[in-house]
């Protein structure tokens, strides 16, 4: 099972001609160019206040056939092939989004969303989508590193909102990359005797508890491994989700995702938060 980002050239992702034409119109200094963004007005203002200029909405997608993997009816186990395809498909979409950002000369991407849509033209066909707003440093100090690119020389990616991004930079931290971990797990069925024995009782089903615990731990550990590979100080805005998709009631995916961060300088000091009370409070 893969635990780290796949090494791909972000400038060679096979972007379509339509994408290249759209990106050419977004490049700074392009004739008639203007930025696009899915940031709210408040987020846009705070990103600008943090010293970054939005360049354009960037996206990547990958349509995958998500097949089946058989597991033992009465055994808790990870379905490793499904875990791998769910990770690889998201990674491919992320890489294509990064390629668009690189084509714009961006330093990073904020507000990244990762979505999955199963298509009507095939119940086992899913589109994996990554979308966010590419930004360029416009007065923001990257610290001794001298660049806002991550330590792989690529634009940083982050699932932080505009408000959280502003707060992170103000606190003296920089995003490195969106890190993630996936685990598709088959939860064992109860045998008939076990099911009948629990009828009418309030009792913990320990095999189910252990299965869900183990699956979440696998997803979290893989996300943390990506953070360590980036030499991050930590991971913020972690979300741990559970998705059944279309596999049935006993197979589910646990997906962990967050933003790996680094300090801008060793001697940074976090500003003391200011208490603000609304007039209605």
């Amino acid at each position: 099972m893969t635990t780290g980002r796949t090494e791909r050239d972000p400038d060679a992702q096979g972007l379509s001609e339509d994408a290249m034409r759209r990106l050419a119109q977004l490049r700074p200094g392009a004739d008639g160019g203007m930025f696009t963004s899915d940031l709210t007005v408040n987020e846009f203002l705070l990103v600008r206040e943090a010293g970054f200029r939005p360049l354009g909405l960037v996206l990547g997608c990958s349509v995958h056939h998500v097949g089946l993997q058989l597991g033992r009816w009465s055994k808790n186990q990870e379905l490793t092939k499904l875990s791998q395809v769910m990770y690889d498909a998201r990674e491919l979409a992320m890489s294509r989004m990064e390629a668009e950002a690189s084509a714009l000369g961006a330093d990073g991407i904020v507000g990244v969303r990762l979505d999955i849509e199963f298509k009507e033209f095939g119940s086992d066909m899913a589109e994996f989508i990554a979308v966010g707003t590419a930004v360029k440093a416009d007065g923001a100090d990257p610290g001794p590193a001298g660049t806002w690119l991550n330590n792989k020389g690529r634009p940083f990616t982050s699932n932080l909102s505009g408000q959280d991004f502003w707060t992170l930079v103000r606190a003296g931290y920089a995003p490195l990359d969106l890190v993630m971990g996936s685990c598709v797990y088959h939860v064992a069925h109860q045998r008939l005797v076990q099911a009948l024995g629990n009828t009418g009782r309030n009792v913990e089903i320990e095999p189910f508890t252990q299965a869900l615990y183990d699956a979440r731990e696998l997803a979290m550990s893989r996300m943390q491994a990506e953070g360590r590979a980036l030499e991050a100080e930590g991971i913020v805005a972690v979300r741990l989700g559970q998705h059944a998709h279309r596999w049935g009631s006993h197979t589910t995916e646990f997906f962990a995702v967050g933003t790996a961060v680094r300090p801008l300088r060793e001697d940074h000091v976090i500003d003391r938060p200011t208490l603000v009370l609304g007039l209605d409070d």
Side-chain angles (χ1 to χ4, degrees):
M1 174 65 198
T2 298
T3 58
R5 293 293 297 274
T6 304
E7 290 297 334
R8 296 190 179 96
D9 181 357
D11 297 319
Q13 295 299 314
L15 298 181
S16 70
E17 292 183 5
D18 288 338
M20 295 306 294
R21 281 194 294 269
R22 176 178 62 84
L23 294 172
Q25 296 173 350
L26 296 175
R27 288 193 185 98
D31 187 23
M34 63 179 181
F35 73 85
T36 58
S37 171
D38 60 352
L39 299 173
T40 66
V41 174
N42 286 340
E43 288 179 306
F44 166 70
L45 293 175
L46 286 171
V47 167
R48 293 291 287 135
E49 173 66 21
F52 289 83
R53 175 165 43 90
L55 297 177
L57 201 64
V58 289
L59 61 94
C61 76
S62 174
V63 178
H64 267 61
H65 175 266
V66 182
L68 297 174
Q69 181 181 349
L70 298 179
R72 291 181 58 183
W73 190 85
S74 59
K75 182 181 179 181
N76 290 331
Q77 65 182 115
E78 181 184 12
L79 303 180
T80 54
K81 292 181 180 178
L82 290 179
S83 293
Q84 191 68 57
V85 72
M86 299 299 287
Y87 179 91
D88 288 347
R90 288 187 179 95
E91 169 64 13
L92 193 53
M94 286 278 292
S95 294
R96 288 170 176 161
M97 178 186 67
E98 290 172 3
E100 290 199 357
S102 294
L104 288 174
D107 289 311
I109 310 170
V110 299
V112 173
R113 302 192 313 275
L114 294 175
D115 296 320
I116 301 176
E117 295 180 2
F118 280 85
K119 299 301 182 182
E120 295 302 324
F121 47 77
S123 59
D124 50 4
M125 302 287 284
E127 181 184 20
F128 295 78
I129 308 165
V131 61
T133 296
V135 296
K136 183 75 174 177
D138 187 15
D141 181 8
T147 179
W148 286 94
L149 301 178
N150 62 29
N151 53 11
K152 294 182 180 180
R154 298 191 292 200
F156 68 76
T157 56
S158 168
N159 62 344
L160 297 176
S161 67
Q163 289 93 331
D164 287 342
F165 177 73
W166 176 83
T167 303
L168 183 78
V169 174
R170 283 289 301 272
Y173 285 87
L176 283 169
D177 220 350
L178 197 66
V179 290
M180 56 188 176
S182 174
C183 175
V184 179
Y185 209 87
H186 174 262
V187 180
H189 292 71
Q190 279 190 294
R191 297 184 183 276
L192 180 60
V193 174
Q194 294 173 315
L196 292 176
N198 292 328
T199 302
R201 300 173 59 200
N202 294 323
V203 59
E204 181 183 17
I205 312 299
E206 293 185 7
F208 285 12
T209 299
Q210 192 63 48
L212 300 182
Y213 184 90
D214 290 346
R216 289 188 175 94
E217 282 296 316
L218 283 170
M220 289 282 287
S221 65
R222 288 164 182 162
M223 179 189 68
Q224 290 172 205
E226 289 198 350
R228 285 193 295 271
L230 289 164
E231 300 178 357
E233 181 174 297
I235 305 172
V236 299
V238 172
R239 296 199 303 269
L240 184 58
Q242 179 180 350
H243 313 281
H245 299 304
R246 298 190 178 184
W247 294 313
S249 59
H250 277 257
T251 299
T252 188
E253 181 196 25
F254 291 88
F255 182 62
V257 63
T259 295
V261 300
R262 64 173 175 88
L264 287 171
R265 52 184 57 82
E266 294 183 0
D267 61 347
H268 75 282
V269 177
I270 298 177
D271 291 340
R272 186 178 182 86
T274 302
L275 179 63
V276 178
L277 295 177
L279 295 177
D280 296 331
D281 293 337

